[in-house]
Amino acid sequence: VFPAPVGYHGFRDVCAGHEAILQVMALSGANPDNSPSLTQHFMYPELLSSVQRLQYGTYLVHYQKGETPHERYFYIKSLPLANRGQFCPFFCWSVHRHSQNAVDAIPLCNVMWVTQGVAGSEVLQKYWIGGDYIHGPYVDKYRSECLVHGAMTVWVYDGKKLKGIDVLATDPLVFALWMKLLEDFAQLNAVLDPTGNVRALQRDIEGAKAKGELASREKFLKDKGSSIFK
């Protein structure tokens, strides 16, 4: 069960989640006045709560090609977009909770989709033991084993290419919060995209996952990143 957002009583602009949603909408010229139905649709307690709580961050296991799994601190933070006088919530991660600088930061307006499980990642499949378990970070020189149910791939487009970010949540509530936030912002991006490219990409990702074609992710990323976003 999702906890209710603190300070939320059903009104706009009294919760940190409202600001994040309005910032993404504003990038496409949408606002509560010209898009009241869209605003009402996305400003519901579960999503607002996810944004609010994930601004404080959580640890996730980060999987990257050529590196062993390691814990990183992931969080949402509003930052200015490069070459634009507008702010946008960013999907950020740092080495530790108290790190001064982020390792990387992706605008939520560039999140195209999120898929659950190891099927969309050859990196996750490499560490998947089979059944319900996947290898995690080293703990006291021993490789840990984690439940695989919290694995997910975040699909982002950086303006040049499509890429996948592979992470694992070891806590069910943390997994639910991140899935809710990333999936709903991807849906918002699809609604705000007048070309229909984002929605088409989401269908392609789900179709490739169902056919087992995402295991060869490099080829999929190259083909879809170049064919859909021209």
Side-chain angles (χ1 to χ4, degrees):
V1 178
F2 278 83
V6 177
Y8 175 70
H9 301 290
F11 299 99
R12 191 161 46 83
D13 297 332
V14 296
C15 166
H18 291 104
E19 181 180 6
I21 296 169
L22 290 173
Q23 285 177 348
V24 172
M25 289 176 57
L27 297 175
S28 298
N31 58 56
D33 294 327
N34 61 29
S35 305
S37 297
L38 179 65
T39 306
Q40 184 178 10
H41 178 76
F42 280 94
M43 288 191 179
Y44 64 100
E46 288 82 2
L47 178 56
L48 296 174
S49 178
S50 297
V51 175
Q52 184 181 63
R53 290 169 187 274
L54 292 176
Q55 287 182 328
Y56 295 99
T58 69
Y59 279 100
L60 298 174
V61 182
H62 190 202
Y63 293 81
Q64 288 181 285
K65 189 174 182 179
E67 296 187 19
T68 58
H70 43 257
E71 276 197 320
R72 290 291 181 259
Y73 198 71
F74 286 77
Y75 56 96
I76 300 300
K77 184 176 183 179
S78 181
L79 297 167
L81 287 168
N83 303 319
R84 299 182 68 170
Q86 292 176 289
F87 278 72
C88 179
F90 277 66
F91 177 54
C92 313
W93 62 95
S94 56
V95 176
H96 300 293
R97 179 178 180 181
H98 298 294
S99 297
Q100 296 297 316
N101 298 307
V103 174
D104 205 348
I106 306 293
L108 283 184
C109 60
N110 286 358
V111 173
M112 302 291 98
W113 196 231
V114 57
T115 51
Q116 178 181 356
V118 301
S121 168
E122 54 195 5
V123 178
L124 289 173
Q125 289 183 5
K126 175 183 176 181
Y127 292 97
W128 181 41
I129 304 170
D132 294 334
Y133 293 93
I134 186 172
H135 281 306
Y138 279 97
V139 179
D140 295 330
K141 298 183 179 180
Y142 294 96
R143 178 165 285 173
S144 61
E145 295 183 4
C146 307
L147 288 172
V148 75
H149 309 301
M152 56 184 148
T153 299
V154 186
W155 301 86
V156 301
Y157 184 70
D158 63 5
K160 296 181 180 179
K161 62 181 180 179
L162 183 68
K163 64 180 181 179
I165 301 168
D166 302 311
V167 293
L168 173 76
T170 58
D171 180 272
L173 178 57
V174 169
F175 173 73
L177 288 169
W178 279 113
M179 280 294 294
K180 171 59 62 179
L181 183 147
L182 294 167
E183 192 173 64
D184 279 16
F185 270 91
Q187 294 284 15
L188 176 59
N189 292 333
V191 172
L192 294 172
D193 173 31
T195 68
N197 288 339
V198 176
R199 186 70 73 195
L201 178 60
Q202 292 173 355
R203 289 195 296 266
D204 286 341
I205 292 173
E206 287 297 329
K209 180 183 177 182
K211 296 176 182 178
E213 296 175 352
L214 284 184
S216 302
R217 192 165 75 183
E218 293 299 326
K219 183 178 185 301
F220 176 81
L221 291 174
K222 182 179 179 180
D223 293 344
K224 294 305 174 184
S226 59
S227 63
I228 291 183
F229 297 98
K230 296 182 179 178

